[in-house]
Amino acid sequence: MAATRPLISDGIYTIRAESSNTYLTADSTTGIVTADFWNKSEAQQWSIKSAGDGDYQLQSVGVRQNLGVNDQSQIVAAQSAITWTLEPRGHEAFVIGKAADTLAIQLPRAGPASSEQRWVVAPLTATVVKEISGFPVEQYFEIRAKGTNNVLLTYGASVEDGAQIQLWARPADKTTLRSAAFFIDRTGELVHAASGHNVDVVDNVLVIRARRPVYIDSNPWSHAPPRFSFRNSQIQIAFNHNPALPSTSAKIYPKDEWRNTAFVLARDSPVRPSLSLHPAADFTAWAPKVFFTPFAHYGTTINKDWGVVAEAQSGDVDPRTTWELVALNN
């Protein structure tokens, strides 16, 4: 039997009730999902990824948890992953149901099930991406340390999977300058232009990460990249997955601090950068052998002057954590 073609491409979407113009919204404290009026927050954004055979995995962008059902039959954003079906109803609406049974998501009020269960699933527009992420759209840009001519770029202008992103004097030649170009894609993710790879964090250091097949459960080999946003001259980082690998996790993020701590990108940091050639055991449970290579980070020797790290955000805006975005138009 041929595999079912996904009705919806992988990406970030809003899910709006057709009958009331309210949106699925995940509560950041309780995780309970309700329908609320549009507020442009990440609580109303959902990552939808194909799980194969017409099923999908949905994850709250704001809460960074999977769409699920608790013991009281409430729709929640929870750590455990389940799969959902999206059945078309009319031109643009869907019924969203659990793949394992007949449960469907319905507005919590009286009304015909045929209308209360219809949801419009729409991709983010460029305007919404700009408002939410704070990064410019429709352009490539450099990321400079504020007040300097130093830019973020990959070590040795590399485009290889796992290449470290570091701070360096802005290159004069256009070929090397390409390695300092970034953009925000239509899902709101930060992308390294020269390689086409997502920007990711391994341990606490920025790298570029090749895109990989989606897994039902996130893992060190395949997971959603962090959500980067630009606010008050800071690059803020919200993790969708533990950025530390199994061999280093307890040391870098004790008590799962990656989940509930606000992080920013910092230079000249008192936090010791942690980036090393990780053992194969950190990946082999998930990585197919034909594609697996040791996660060889280019530039594993991190110079304090040029290294940048994900650092816990403090109350004040530290100059070490300030950046400026410069358009690359020529």
Side-chain angles (χ1 to χ4, degrees):
M1 180 181 294
T4 303
R5 181 184 178 187
L7 296 170
I8 293 179
S9 301
D10 291 0
I12 308 296
Y13 294 81
T14 58
I15 302 175
R16 176 176 59 84
E18 187 180 55
S19 63
S20 70
N21 205 34
T22 55
Y23 294 77
L24 280 190
T25 306
D27 187 279
S28 60
T29 302
T30 65
I32 294 175
V33 176
T34 58
D36 201 355
F37 292 105
W38 177 240
N39 59 28
K40 301 179 182 178
S41 74
E42 290 190 341
Q44 296 181 326
Q45 298 176 51
W46 298 89
S47 169
I48 300 180
K49 294 186 177 182
S50 173
D53 294 329
D55 295 342
Y56 297 86
Q57 183 180 359
L58 282 69
Q59 184 183 76
S60 165
V61 172
V63 180
R64 292 171 278 163
Q65 300 285 2
N66 299 298
L67 186 67
V69 181
N70 66 14
D71 294 337
Q72 290 76 45
S73 296
Q74 293 174 303
I75 306 300
V76 295
Q79 193 165 1
S80 58
I82 65 173
T83 54
W84 299 83
T85 59
L86 279 75
E87 299 179 7
R89 294 291 188 273
H91 175 62
E92 58 180 4
F94 296 85
V95 170
I96 304 174
K98 281 180 64 180
D101 54 40
T102 60
L103 177 72
I105 299 178
Q106 180 171 325
L107 278 176
R109 64 177 188 173
S114 59
S115 63
E116 301 300 317
Q117 293 181 354
R118 292 163 64 107
W119 301 89
V120 177
V121 180
L124 297 182
T125 64
T127 300
V128 172
V129 168
K130 181 178 180 180
E131 290 175 346
I132 292 171
S133 73
F135 284 101
V137 296
E138 300 181 344
Q139 65 179 243
Y140 299 95
F141 52 84
E142 300 173 4
I143 302 175
R144 294 187 188 177
K146 193 169 184 177
T148 77
N149 199 39
N150 300 329
V151 298
L152 293 183
L153 76 176
T154 50
Y155 179 85
S158 174
V159 296
E160 297 294 328
D161 182 18
Q164 176 197 331
I165 295 174
Q166 62 178 17
L167 194 62
W168 200 255
R170 187 179 189 272
D173 65 288
K174 289 187 176 181
T175 300
T176 307
L177 186 60
R178 283 171 51 85
S179 69
F182 297 86
F183 65 87
I184 291 292
D185 72 7
R186 66 181 62 252
T187 70
E189 293 178 353
L190 184 61
V191 179
H192 179 248
S195 64
H197 296 334
N198 287 112
V199 177
D200 198 3
V201 176
V202 173
D203 293 340
N204 58 5
V205 175
L206 262 63
V207 300
I208 56 175
R209 165 88 75 170
R211 302 185 184 201
R212 291 171 179 150
V214 62
Y215 283 61
I216 296 300
D217 294 312
S218 292
N219 58 70
W221 178 253
S222 173
H223 56 265
R227 301 292 294 179
F228 294 91
S229 57
F230 189 67
R231 299 280 186 270
N232 299 321
S233 297
Q234 291 184 311
I235 296 176
Q236 300 172 356
I237 307 169
F239 293 114
N240 295 302
H241 179 270
N242 187 349
L245 300 183
S247 60
T248 57
S249 180
K251 179 181 177 182
I252 301 176
Y253 301 105
K255 300 179 181 179
D256 279 349
E257 289 177 357
W258 63 272
R259 190 187 300 278
N260 301 312
T261 303
F263 292 89
V264 292
L265 186 65
R267 57 191 183 274
D268 193 24
S269 176
V271 177
R272 180 178 176 81
S274 176
L275 187 61
S276 59
L277 190 62
H278 282 269
D282 277 345
F283 301 100
T284 49
W286 306 276
K289 291 182 179 179
V290 66
F291 287 105
F292 177 74
T293 55
F295 208 64
H297 300 291
Y298 292 82
T300 54
T301 301
I302 300 177
N303 184 292
K304 185 176 182 295
D305 294 330
W306 302 111
V308 292
V309 300
E311 180 181 302
Q313 188 174 24
S314 61
D316 299 323
V317 176
D318 190 317
R320 300 181 301 101
T321 67
T322 57
W323 308 85
E324 52 192 3
L325 309 179
V326 181
L328 277 169
N329 295 321
N330 298 315

